Amino acid sequence: MTTVRFTHIGGPTVLIDVGGWRLLTDPTFDPPGRTYAFGWGTSSRKLTGPAVAPADLPPIDAILLTHVHHGDNLDDAGRALLPTAGVIVTTRSGAPAIPGAARGLRADETTRLEAPGRPAIDITATPCRHGPPLSRPIVGDVIGFALTWPGQAHGPLWITGDTVYTRAVQATATRLRPGTILLHLGGVGFPLTGPLRYTMTAEQAVRLCETITPHTVLPIHYEGWQHFRENREGVQRELATRPSVLRDTLTWLPIGDPLDITV
């Protein structure tokens, strides 16, 4: 049994303290107000800033970067933080764009974090599709991360990354049986693309979780940007209409304050 401390800094950015390791997901530390282009005529304005400033972070052992090419997952201040981290793990295609030696992974590939006096952590890339069918050439490569280490009580820690529900994502969840999920939600959409969604909605999350019964689901990346179509209130409304394992296991991380979870 392991206690993990999660600090949700905002958006997809979470500080994870486990076994002496300090891991940071998708670093985004720019102030609010700027509009970021995402390609093919789409854009979004950042509405809220980070709850923790980069100067207030502890030393970071590894950054888990789901993709390098969208400003809501890696912004200018987040990019400036990369050289200070011991290890950066990202997509195989994105690694060359990172200064220094980033570890690039494709889905199902694994790398390991090792250090004296700490448990080894295996990091396995998991598949993502950041949009509708056939959108990968437009939206680019994205991965999630499954983290395993000795003594986990409920199964791996899974960071889904920016993805919609797909058969590959469901098959990965079924194979992993994650105990704790950092679940990217928000149902991202743009006026230019109408009803198409580029990240998971609450309805899709219910489908994902109802067959794997995770112990704890921690929503992230559902707020703070103009392009989210389903915020916390929207997720709660959707879950109120149906009994589901997701409704029973979902925990909202406080923004900026650490929360300890048994993993």
Side-chain angles (χ1 to χ4, degrees):
M1 184 176 297
T2 307
T3 297
V4 180
R5 175 162 291 182
F6 296 93
T7 305
H8 189 190
I9 294 170
T13 310
V14 180
L15 178 64
I16 303 171
D17 289 270
V18 53
W21 294 100
R22 293 187 180 101
L23 316 177
L24 187 69
T25 65
D26 286 350
T28 54
F29 290 92
D30 282 358
R34 176 179 164 188
T35 296
Y36 297 73
F38 295 136
W40 294 81
T42 62
S43 64
S44 181
R45 183 163 54 90
K46 188 173 186 178
L47 304 176
T48 59
V52 179
D56 295 327
L57 291 172
I60 302 299
D61 298 300
I63 290 176
L64 307 180
L65 180 54
T66 62
H67 55 303
V68 306
H69 50 280
H70 288 157
D72 62 329
N73 295 85
L74 179 66
D75 57 20
D76 290 345
R79 192 176 292 273
L81 189 67
L82 296 181
T84 69
V87 174
I88 300 165
V89 186
T90 190
T91 59
R92 179 70 67 88
S93 61
I98 302 301
R103 302 184 191 180
L105 300 179
R106 295 190 180 95
D108 299 322
E109 293 182 335
T110 299
T111 189
R112 175 171 287 187
L113 299 180
E114 293 182 292
R118 303 179 191 177
I121 299 179
D122 286 331
I123 303 171
T124 301
T126 61
C128 294
R129 194 184 76 206
H130 196 2
L134 306 179
S135 63
R136 191 180 305 277
I138 297 173
V139 300
D141 292 331
V142 182
I143 54 175
F145 301 102
L147 277 57
T148 57
W149 60 83
Q152 289 175 316
H154 306 295
L157 165 61
W158 184 28
I159 303 159
T160 65
D162 283 359
T163 185
V164 295
Y165 177 92
T166 69
R167 290 181 180 178
V169 171
Q170 180 67 70
T172 296
T174 301
R175 183 179 72 254
L176 287 174
R177 294 288 172 181
T180 303
I181 304 176
L182 280 174
L183 182 64
H184 289 219
L185 281 175
V188 163
F190 302 96
L192 184 68
T193 55
L196 298 178
R197 292 293 172 259
Y198 293 83
T199 60
M200 217 173 295
T201 63
E203 185 275 332
Q204 290 179 330
V206 168
R207 291 176 63 192
L208 178 69
C209 293
E210 62 188 358
T211 59
I212 60 173
T213 59
H215 183 265
T216 306
V217 177
L218 307 171
I220 61 173
H221 211 22
Y222 57 85
E223 42 67 48
W225 286 81
Q226 195 176 38
H227 61 321
F228 288 117
R229 296 293 178 261
E230 198 172 66
N231 60 14
R232 176 171 174 169
E233 290 72 23
V235 172
Q236 290 173 322
R237 281 196 302 270
E238 175 67 25
L239 297 182
T241 66
R242 62 175 80 197
S244 73
V245 65
L246 180 59
R247 188 174 69 180
D248 297 335
T249 60
L250 187 145
T251 297
W252 296 96
L253 289 169
I255 302 295
D257 294 323
L259 183 67
D260 292 343
I261 301 287
T262 299
V263 173

